[in-house]
Amino acid sequence: VRKPLGLLYETGAALEATVRSVLEALGAEVETPGEDRANEDGWITVQVGDETFEGVLEIKGVKTKHFNVEGLRQLVEWIERGWTFREKTYTGIFVGNSSREDPPRRRVWPFNPNWVNQAKMRGHVGIRSEDLYILYLLDRTRRLDRNEFWRELFGTKGPFDMRRYRTRLTEEEKAYLENLPQA
C-alpha cells in the first residue's frame, strides 16, 4: 500500500522498481531490465484502442533541484539500442525525482530551459515521479482517464503538463502535493 510513496523520496533501484510498478498499475506492460544495469531502466508498451505506444525508460532520483541533461543523452543511446537490437522505435521517457529530500510542496520546477530544449529537440518526454504519484492517486480514486493520460504522455515533447490533472486533487491532497510556482 505504501510502495507508491517511494515515488516521492526514493532513488536508484528502489525508485526504478517503484516507477515500473506504478506504470503497470496504470495499465502499461512493463519489461524490466536484465542483469546489465548499465543500460535501459525498462521498456513499456501501452495499448489504447487501436494504438500501441512503446517507450524506453530512464529513471533518475537526485537531491538537487534541477535535472541535468545526462539522462536525456542516455535516452538517445537506449533508443538507438532499440533500433539495433529490437528493430523498434521507442519514445524516450525520462522519469525524475528531484529535491527528493524535500517535501513535495517545497520542490521547485526541476526542468531548466536547457533541459526543456534538449528534450524537445530529441523528442523525449519528461515526467516527475511526484506527478506519477498524483496520477496513481487519481487512478485509484477513479479520477483519471488512463487512455487520455497515455495519449498525452506519448504525444508530449519536453516536460509533461500536469496542470489539468492537478485540478482534480482535493484540497487536502493539494496541501501536501502542490509545488512552489514554476520558474
Side-chain angles (χ1 to χ4, degrees):
V1 170
R2 296 187 53 80
K3 186 173 182 177
L5 289 173
L7 292 171
L8 302 177
Y9 301 104
E10 293 290 351
T11 189
L15 177 61
E16 292 170 15
T18 303
V19 166
R20 289 189 296 264
S21 174
V22 167
L23 291 172
E24 281 182 335
L26 293 174
E29 290 180 32
V30 179
E31 182 183 343
T32 58
E35 297 200 14
D36 186 358
R37 302 286 307 142
N39 291 318
E40 305 87 349
D41 293 331
W43 301 264
I44 66 171
T45 303
V46 179
Q47 191 70 41
V48 178
D50 295 344
E51 298 175 281
T52 301
F53 300 107
E54 294 182 299
V56 62
L57 301 170
E58 177 59 23
I59 303 167
K60 293 270 188 227
V62 297
K63 292 179 185 179
T64 59
K65 292 180 181 180
H66 299 95
F67 300 117
N68 64 34
V69 295
E70 181 58 30
L72 298 175
R73 291 186 189 119
Q74 287 176 305
L75 277 172
V76 170
E77 185 178 337
W78 306 160
I79 290 169
E80 189 172 298
R81 286 174 48 84
W83 296 329
T84 303
F85 299 116
R86 295 171 175 238
E87 296 182 352
K88 291 185 177 187
T89 299
Y90 292 97
T91 297
I93 302 172
F94 177 91
V95 181
N97 186 15
S98 66
S99 302
R100 64 183 178 78
E101 294 180 339
D102 296 331
R105 68 183 176 279
R106 307 296 289 155
R107 296 177 185 179
V108 299
W109 185 244
F111 304 111
N112 65 43
N114 183 46
W115 194 99
V116 172
N117 290 337
Q118 292 293 317
K120 286 180 178 180
M121 287 185 341
R122 291 179 165 105
H124 302 325
V125 60
I127 186 167
R128 300 178 299 177
S129 61
E130 67 196 70
D131 290 335
L132 199 54
Y133 178 79
I134 289 170
L135 293 162
Y136 176 81
L137 176 66
L138 294 175
D139 184 67
R140 291 293 159 246
T141 55
R142 295 187 175 99
R143 294 177 278 166
L144 178 70
D145 179 333
R146 287 182 180 184
N147 292 343
E148 171 188 67
F149 160 65
W150 287 117
R151 282 188 178 108
E152 284 185 41
L153 182 76
F154 278 91
T156 298
K157 308 289 185 254
F160 185 72
D161 187 351
M162 281 290 293
R163 286 178 289 197
R164 64 196 213 115
Y165 296 99
R166 285 179 173 270
T167 65
R168 299 174 190 171
L169 294 172
T170 66
E171 291 305 315
E172 183 181 357
E173 292 163 345
K174 286 179 182 176
Y176 182 70
L177 296 167
E178 283 296 309
N179 300 113
L180 295 171
Q182 272 185 223

